[in-house]
């Protein structure tokens, strides 16, 4: 039975988790239905196909061996039963209301950490599937690949086969260690310099303008989700009129929505500029060991206090250009890269403290999740909408994940249900901000 060590960042997510702060990500897909029984048929298909996807059979176990003491590894679960992971629910008229309650439940850690919840629509004309994957099992891109393995097959062009590397054991070749020492020392000194640079940037990021109080709260462990969808052509229209990238526009929409939402609540927006973490995927090389996620990010202040919509977009664009010029290996947003240099036992012992420190690092997560341009189906039923759902860090009340699918932008919103009981109003504010930007283009 082959085991593969978790990469440091995956191990960090595994140890940060608590009952009130599950570290799984999700995606809520809404499908058109041909009959009221489509949801039940979809659940049967998911259970039947899951057994044939190797990545869905992997559980995570603790490792107490030299060079990995206190770590964890992925390995096949000999008792894997897809019926423990695929669940059919009662019909509902509100997919997001059910998804919110399901997102607050941690995944069972003794089994492969994923679930698929099928939610039939009361109208019989649609059903939804909520996929949940622990971040230690799969990040956004790998989770997409795992989910695609249980959807209907797609006709794709054949790719040339790649050479298969022999699996590596848990321990490195001790005979090679002496020759590696000079490089390790040089790398360690470089890492110290990078850590000091990141630490100084993080300290600077805490100074100055304040976050919105609505974005920080005592954790309740509850979750609420909502979604917003609009045409990508609207984003391109704004981009061509005001400049910037598609991503700049999508981030500026969040800033404007926060301003609108806070003002509707009666909260003051003067001097409010919450720190937004914009994750940047840094895939580990195929030759790296262990394999897994490697994440950096950009940290920017959202110009919530700026009244002009194009002014907000200009501020976001300038901040993103500054981050890109510096690169994803520097600045406060690159804190996650330091996970590579913490020993496994340090992740295990320090995980809870690191989780609590997230509120010192950023105030809101705004992340993009890639999706294929091809249409996806399940049991012949077309996937019409898909809302990515990000984990919520301890002490934070709102996370925003964004995907573009078949010409439409989908915002998936996750909030602490007690801190943000009016998440639907924030969703409306996102839609209103897009309309405001379009109106500004025509003015």
């Amino acid at each position: 039975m082959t085991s593969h060590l978790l990469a440091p960042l995956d191990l960090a997510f595994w140890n940060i988790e608590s009952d009130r702060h599950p570290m799984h990500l999700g995606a809520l897909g809404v499908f058109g239905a041909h009959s009221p029984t489509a949801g039940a048929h979809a659940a049967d298909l998911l259970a039947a196909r899951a057994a044939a996807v190797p990545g869905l059979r992997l559980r995570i176990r603790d490792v107490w061996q030299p060079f990995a003491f206190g770590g964890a590894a992925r390995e096949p679960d000999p008792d894997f039963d897809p019926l423990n992971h695929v669940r059919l629910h009662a019909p509902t008229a509100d997919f997001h209301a059910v998804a919110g309650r399901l997102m607050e439940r941690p995944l069972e850690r003794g089994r492969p950490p994923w679930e698929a919840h099928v939610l039939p629509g009361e109208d019989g004309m649609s059903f939804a599937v909520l996929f949940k994957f622990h971040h230690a099992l799969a990040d956004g891109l790998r989770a997409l690949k795992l989910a695609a393995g249980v959807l209907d097959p797609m006709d794709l062009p054949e790719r040339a086969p790649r050479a298969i590397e022999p699996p590596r054991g848990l321990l490195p070749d001790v005979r090679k260690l002496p020759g590696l020492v000079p490089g390790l020392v040089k790398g360690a000194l470089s890492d110290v310099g990078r850590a000091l640079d990141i630490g100084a940037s993080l300290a600077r990021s805490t100074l100055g303008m304040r976050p919105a109080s609505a974005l920080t709260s005592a954790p309740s462990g509850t979750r609420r989700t909502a979604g917003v969808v609009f045409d990508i052509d609207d984003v391109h229209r704004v981009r061509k009129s005001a400049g910037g990238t598609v991503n700049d526009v999508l981030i500026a929409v969040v800033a404007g929505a926060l301003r609108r939402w806070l003002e509707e609540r009666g909260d003051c927006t003067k001097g409010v500029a919450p720190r937004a973490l914009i994750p940047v995927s840094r895939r580990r090389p195929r030759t790296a060991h262990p394999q897994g996620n490697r994440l950096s990010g950009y940290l920017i202040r959202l110009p919530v206090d700026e009244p002009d919509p194009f002014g907000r977009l200009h501020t976001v664009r300038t901040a993103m250009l500054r981050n890109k010029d510096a690169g994803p290996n520097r600045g406060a947003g690159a804190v996650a890269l330091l996970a590579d240099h913490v020993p496994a036992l340090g992740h295990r012992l320090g995980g809870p403290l690191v989780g609590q420190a997230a509120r010192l690092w950023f105030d809101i997560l705004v992340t993009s999740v890639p999706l294929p341009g091809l249409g996806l189906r399940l049991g012949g039923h077309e996937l019409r909408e898909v809302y990515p759902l990000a984990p919520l860090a301890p002490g934070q009340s709102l996370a925003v994940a964004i995907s573009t699918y078949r010409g439409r932008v989908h915002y998936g919103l996750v909030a602490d249900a007690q801190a943000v009981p009016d998440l639907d109003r924030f969703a409306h504010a996102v839609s209103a901000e897009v309309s405001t930007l379009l109106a500004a283009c025509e003015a």
Side-chain angles (χ1 to χ4, degrees), residues 4 41 49 100 133 150 166 196 207 222 259 276 289 305 323 362 385 406 409 420 437:
H4 297 276
H41 178 55
R49 293 172 177 175
F133 293 94
V150 293
L196 292 174
L207 302 175
T222 59
R259 177 181 176 85
H289 183 69
D305 61 334
N323 274 288
F362 63 97
E385 302 170 19
R406 305 203 73 184
V409 178
V420 187
L437 285 166

Side-chain angles (χ1 to χ4, degrees), residues 347-371:
H347 281 294
R348 182 176 295 273
L349 297 177
L353 293 177
V354 171
Q356 294 300 322
R359 70 180 70 188
L360 302 177
W361 178 17
F362 63 97
D363 305 303
I364 183 173
L365 176 72
V366 182
T367 183
S368 295
V369 181
L371 288 177

Side-chain angles (χ1 to χ4, degrees), residues 79-99:
D79 300 319
F80 175 73
D81 183 350
L83 296 180
N84 291 328
H85 301 265
V86 179
R87 291 151 197 182
L88 177 65
H89 294 259
T92 177
D94 190 340
F95 296 137
H96 277 289
V98 180

